Structures are given as structure tokens and as C-alpha cells.
Amino acid sequence: MSTPSLIPLAEPILPSPGPTPSPECLQEALCKGAWDLTNSVWFAEGSYWILLKPLRVILILLLAVVARWAVHRTINRLVRTTTEGAVPTMLRPLRERIPSAALEPEQFVPERRRQRAEAIGSVLRSLVTAFIFGIALLMVLKEFSFDLAPLLASAGIAGVALGFGAQSLVKDLIAGLFMLIEDQYGVGDTVDLGEATGVVESVGLRVTTVRDGRGVLWYIRNGEIVRVGNKSQGWALVVVDLPIGFAGTEEATAVLRTAAASVAMDPELATQIVEEPEVLGVEQITVDGAVIRTVVKTTADGQFAIGRELRRRLAEALENSGITARIAAGRLYPGMPAPAPVRGETGTGGAT
């Protein structure tokens, strides 16, 4: 009896191992080095997210801080240079850039220039800070795999909507910025803005406040200011017109010239007078007689005090000389006959 042959059992077929998974950050040098060193997906991706990403974010923020510091330092240097007297072209008032309209250097007040430069510097620093950190924020979001396309599209749509809905606000801000750059007026200036005339109390990028002579505080949007009449820049001209009736013009001119000269010789007022007072002569003829004009060139701050004192002294001089009494007599008795001519002379108003 033959022994049955044994049939060898087939070995179980095991599934072939698939390809070894690799990390998704192999394009980064740190991640690839960790993968080559350990052949561990977890360690390679962990090193990428724990070490590389935070280091990149820190580097972006550090560069933003350094850039902001450098630009702010440049702006502060411009402001400091402007305060010391050497004005850069960007911070120079528009009228100083035009040779035909340039004023003398002594006519500008250093304190006013310093305030204007600091205001412009503050605006520039704010714009630079918002711009630099805005870019840094976008770069940080990109590092965390945020899709910036929808964000940028939404920001663009919001910007367009804001531009259409806030046109007046944008207009006010731009007008205020150019007002500061061109130095049209500042705090303490006496200005004429059309509806409001008075002293500027505050100047902002959107609103300027002016207090008029009756104490009313006006809030004026910068975009609504069409013209500006500044009475506090450079020099001022005080003009005084006084009637002298039908008195002799030579006599009245001499009296007024003496009174005007006394104002210029006053030690308390002489520092505010730029040029000596001048009696120009007869300005016009009215039914009450001639009107003589007197002018004096003063500083912008001293025009009101000089004007009041000049009017007072001119009026007193006319009164002391008797011209005022003659003017009053002519107005009280307008129908008085003219005096008879001396014997031997001819005249049209005397007896025949």
C-alpha cells in the first residue's frame, strides 16, 4: 500500500505595502531635512508648524517694526529740520515755492512752522503705520494658509462702497491735508472763510473751528471751504480815512502827519510797525468835504492795536487843531452865507 504524497501548503499572500507617505512640506528646507534625517512624517510636519511657521511670523513682525521705526525716524528728522529753519520742499508752504510770491524769511513765525510740521508729521506717521502693518497682517495670514483672494476682493468692494458712500468725508480729509501742507491758516489766525470770520481755535483733517467776534463757534468742514482770507500771515496794512470837511487840505495833512508820526515814535508800538505811517492825501470828495487817507504797514499781530491807536490820535489831532469844530459847524448850519470879500476883491458870494 503506497503512502499518499504530501501536498505542500501555499504560503498566504500578504498585501504589498503601499508607498511610504511623505509630508506635505517637503518644499521647505527645514521640513525636508527633518524628513531625510528621521523619515518621520509627524516629526517633519511638526518641525514645520512648530518651528518654521512661528519663526516666519516673528520675522515678518520684526521686519514691520524695523521698517516702521526707520520711516518714522525719517519723518521725525524732516519735522526737526523744518523746526530748525531749513524747510524741505515737501513741507514748504506753496507760496514759498513760487519765487514771485515768496515773502521775506523774517515774516514767518518759527512756532507756527513747528506746529504745522508736527501736524503733517503726525498724519504721515499714522498713514505709514497703517500701511506697513496692513501688509504685515496679510503676510501673516498667508503663512497660516488663509486664502487672501476673497479677502482682497471683499476689501476692494468695501473700498468702492466706502468711496461712493463717503465722498464728502474723503473730500474733507484731502482738503484738510492740502490745507496743512500749503499752510493756509493755523490756530490763532484771524481768517475770513466766507460765512464765518474770526479766530481759528482748532484745525483738523476734517473740520476747522472758528470763533467769530460775537463768541459763536463755527464748525466748518474743510471740503466746504472755497476761499480763505488770512489776516494773520506776513504783514498787514492799516488804512484810516478821516473827513476834514472843507478845511484846508494842507493844514489837515500836516496835522495828521504829525499825529501819525507820534504813533511810530511810541516805544510800546514801534516794534509792531514795519514801515513809517504815511498820509497819502485826499482820497475822495463827498458832500461833507474832503476825505484824507492815512496808511501804516504793521505786523500781522499788531495791526489791530496799531489801528485803534492811530485812529484815536488822528481824531484827537483834528479836534485839537479846531478842524473838527469847523466840520460840526458846517453840518449844523449848512445854509450859512459865505463871508463877504475884502474891499477891492471880486467874488461871487458877496454883496454888490
Side-chain angles (χ1 to χ4, degrees), residues 48-66:
Y48 175 71
W49 286 100
I50 296 176
L51 296 178
L52 186 60
K53 285 292 184 179
L55 288 177
R56 281 187 173 181
V57 172
I58 293 174
L59 180 61
I60 291 173
L61 296 178
L62 181 62
L63 290 177
V65 171
V66 172

Side-chain angles (χ1 to χ4, degrees), residues 288 324-336:
D288 294 327
T324 302
R326 278 179 275 174
I327 297 175
R331 289 177 178 175
L332 288 175
Y333 306 103
M336 291 180 61

Side-chain angles (χ1 to χ4, degrees), residues 68-306:
R68 176 182 176 274
W69 173 83
V71 178
H72 279 207
R73 186 170 183 270
T74 303
I75 295 175
N76 292 334
R77 179 175 297 179
L78 287 175
V79 173
R80 185 170 60 253
T81 304
T82 303
T83 304
E84 293 173 355
V87 187
T89 303
M90 182 183 66
L91 297 179
R92 188 177 302 169
L94 183 61
R95 63 182 180 277
E96 290 189 63
R97 305 179 201 171
I98 306 175
S100 61
L103 299 177
E104 298 178 1
E106 62 269 17
Q107 295 176 348
F108 294 97
V109 183
E111 180 64 19
R112 173 186 176 86
R113 176 181 292 171
R114 183 190 64 81
Q115 293 177 357
R116 186 177 63 89
E118 289 183 352
I120 297 176
S122 176
V123 173
L124 293 178
R125 285 192 294 267
S126 300
L127 293 177
V128 165
T129 300
F131 179 75
I132 291 178
F133 281 106
I135 294 179
L137 177 61
L138 294 178
M139 296 178 66
V140 169
L141 292 177
K142 184 179 179 181
E143 289 295 326
F144 288 102
S145 301
F146 279 89
D147 190 4
L148 298 181
L151 180 62
L152 295 177
S154 301
I157 296 174
V160 173
L162 181 63
F164 280 105
Q167 294 183 29
S168 60
L169 176 61
V170 175
K171 180 181 178 182
D172 295 339
L173 295 178
I174 294 177
L177 180 60
F178 275 97
M179 179 273 301
L180 288 175
I181 294 176
E182 296 172 0
D183 191 23
Q184 297 177 7
Y185 53 83
V187 176
D189 288 355
T190 302
V191 297
D192 181 358
L193 303 181
E195 294 293 333
T197 300
V199 180
V200 178
E201 291 201 349
S202 65
V203 178
L205 283 180
R206 194 183 71 87
V207 173
T208 297
T209 58
V210 176
R211 190 175 296 276
D212 64 11
R214 297 184 177 182
V216 180
L217 188 63
W218 295 79
Y219 293 85
I220 308 169
R221 288 166 40 200
N222 294 328
E224 299 298 324
I225 299 176
V226 180
R227 63 173 179 83
V228 177
N230 197 322
K231 302 179 182 180
S232 302
Q233 285 185 349
W235 52 269
L237 190 66
V238 176
V239 181
V240 180
D241 291 336
L242 283 178
I244 62 170
F246 292 97
T249 57
E250 294 296 333
E251 177 189 0
T253 300
V255 171
L256 295 178
R257 185 176 289 114
T258 302
S262 66
V263 176
M265 291 185 295
D266 192 333
E268 296 181 358
L269 303 175
T271 57
Q272 299 176 347
I273 296 178
V274 178
E275 295 181 0
E276 295 291 332
E278 183 180 1
V279 180
L280 300 181
V282 178
E283 179 65 22
Q284 58 180 330
I285 299 294
T286 66
V287 294
D288 294 327
V291 176
I292 294 183
R293 170 165 292 185
T294 304
V295 298
V296 57
K297 193 174 183 179
T298 68
T299 60
D301 296 333
Q303 57 179 315
F304 304 106
I306 297 295

Side-chain angles (χ1 to χ4, degrees), residues 340-346:
V342 182
R343 183 182 300 272
E345 296 182 357
T346 60

